[in-house]
């Protein structure tokens, strides 16, 4: 199919396949966290070694995103996406082999992370390129719902399946989901050249605004992961929840995140700046509130849900803004934002770990809140006005 404007049902099917792929990638990234004990015991490695499968995954995405976007910028998106989803399927099934070793599992994780690094920066431009420019925000909102469902549904379901069918079973399912996405995209996505799409370039290029958005991503993500990485100790040691209750509280966080994405997505096109500024502000309030009020269970649950309803929309809104203000190709700009996100995850976790041992878990949320306030300051800092006389003299 060569047309860049397929029928409505085909466009809808492609977007649904991209949502499923985002769900699958995000679930694959975080699934080992729910299977730590099972995987460590079966592979005869430490819990930290299994945790490194997640940390290394994020670092790989951070390092590879920009180079991958540059290398693949001329490859037709239909073939590239199909290839990336093929890698996801094969790596997932390799992870489920009965004879898999820790080293082979680590290699499969690296392959999956390499595929995700490219997929995440292609997904937005490919999807929005199928629709009129004025619908960019709504399409990005739908894609974000797919990714957010991984937290609410994917990882919990994978954890349950791993507990009942062995830790390899969820990886078999992930490979099958990747194959479904591959078949739909390979069959229905147009084969037009990447640069022919209106989504290949920013709708309103603005280098300053682009740098502001990247800085906002880095600071806000570092802030949230400085605290949220250690949410379990906060809930158990400060708020007094038992282990079973912690799972329920985290599920409420995930539901709030999904609701935040669903409510914010339709507003991205109409209020591009407010849909980023407001969730950054509420994220700061939630993190600082958890520092001050974590001793109250009711306040903790409410603030954690506010945090969930803020964190997911922040990244969705930054991605949407990057599509709008990218000073060059949107794939490269989105890769920079993805790299900033993953660097923030790594730095935030490291910072929080250091603070945890020095000043306790509550202070991780204080520092995370202050970093988010810094992101808000960068985001709302007034632009320097050029004197009228200077403009007229040009």
């Amino acid at each position: 199919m060569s047309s860049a404007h397929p029928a409505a049902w085909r466009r809808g099917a492609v977007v649904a396949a991209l949502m499923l792929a985002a769900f699958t990638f995000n679930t694959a990234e975080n699934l080992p966290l729910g299977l730590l004990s099972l995987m460590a015991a079966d592979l005869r490695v430490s819990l930290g070694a299994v945790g490194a499968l997640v940390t290394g995954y994020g670092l790989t995405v951070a390092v590879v995103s920009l180079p991958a976007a540059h290398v693949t910028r001329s490859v037709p998106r239909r073939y590239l996406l199909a290839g990336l989803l093929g890698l996801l399927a094969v790596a997932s099934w390799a992870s489920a082999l009965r004879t898999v070793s820790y080293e082979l599992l680590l290699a499969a994780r690296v392959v999956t992370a390499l595929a995700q690094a490219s997929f995440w920066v292609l997904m937005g431009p490919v999807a929005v390129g199928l629709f009129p420019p004025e619908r960019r925000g709504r399409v990005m909102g739908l894609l974000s719902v797919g990714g957010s469902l991984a937290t609410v549904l994917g990882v919990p379901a994978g954890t349950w399946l791993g507990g009942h069918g062995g830790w390899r079973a969820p990886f078999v399912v992930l490979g099958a989901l990747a194959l479904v996405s591959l078949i739909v995209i390979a069959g229905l996505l147009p084969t037009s050249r990447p640069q022919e799409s209106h989504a290949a370039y920013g709708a309103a290029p603005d280098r300053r605004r682009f740098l502001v958005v990247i800085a906002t991503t880095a600071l806000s993500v570092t802030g949230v992961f400085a605290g949220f990485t250690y949410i379990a100790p906060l809930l158990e040691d400060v708020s007094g929840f038992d282990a079973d209750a912690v799972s329920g509280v985290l599920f409420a966080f995930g539901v709030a995140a999904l609701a935040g994405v669903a409510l914010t997505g339709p507003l991205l096109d109409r209020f591009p700046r407010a849909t980023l500024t407001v969730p950054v502000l509420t994220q700061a309030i939630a993190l600082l509130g958890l520092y001050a009020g974590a001793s109250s269970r009711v306040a903790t649950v409410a603030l954690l849900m506010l945090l969930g309803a803020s964190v997911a929309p922040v990244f969705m809104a930054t991605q949407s803004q990057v599509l709008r203000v990218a000073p060059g190709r949107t794939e490269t700009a989105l890769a920079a934002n993805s790299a900033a996100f993953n660097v923030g995850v790594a730095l935030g976790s490291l910072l929080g770990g250091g603070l945890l041992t020095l000043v306790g878990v509550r202070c991780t949320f204080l520092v995370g809140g202050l970093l988010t306030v810094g992101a808000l300051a960068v985001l709302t800092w007034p632009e320097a006005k050029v004197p009228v006389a200077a403009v007229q003299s040009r």
Side-chain angles (χ1 to χ4, degrees), residues 206-215 322 325-327 332-334 336:
D206 185 332
R207 184 174 296 277
R208 178 194 175 277
R209 187 66 184 174
F210 169 70
L211 295 175
V212 165
V213 173
I214 296 298
V322 166
V325 303
T332 303
L334 289 168

Side-chain angles (χ1 to χ4, degrees), residues 40 94 96 190 202 267-268 339 349 373:
L267 303 175
L268 288 171
S349 299
V373 170

Side-chain angles (χ1 to χ4, degrees), residues 272-319:
R273 297 207 178 194
T275 47
L276 177 55
T277 304
V278 170
V280 172
L281 172 62
T282 54
Q283 176 180 306
I285 293 171
L287 289 169
L288 294 174
L290 285 167
Y291 162 71
S295 55
S296 166
R297 293 187 182 182
V298 173
T300 297
V301 173
L303 289 165
L304 196 59
M305 292 184 72
L306 178 63
L307 183 63
S310 305
V311 172
V314 167
F315 186 61
M316 176 181 66
T318 60
Q319 292 285 84

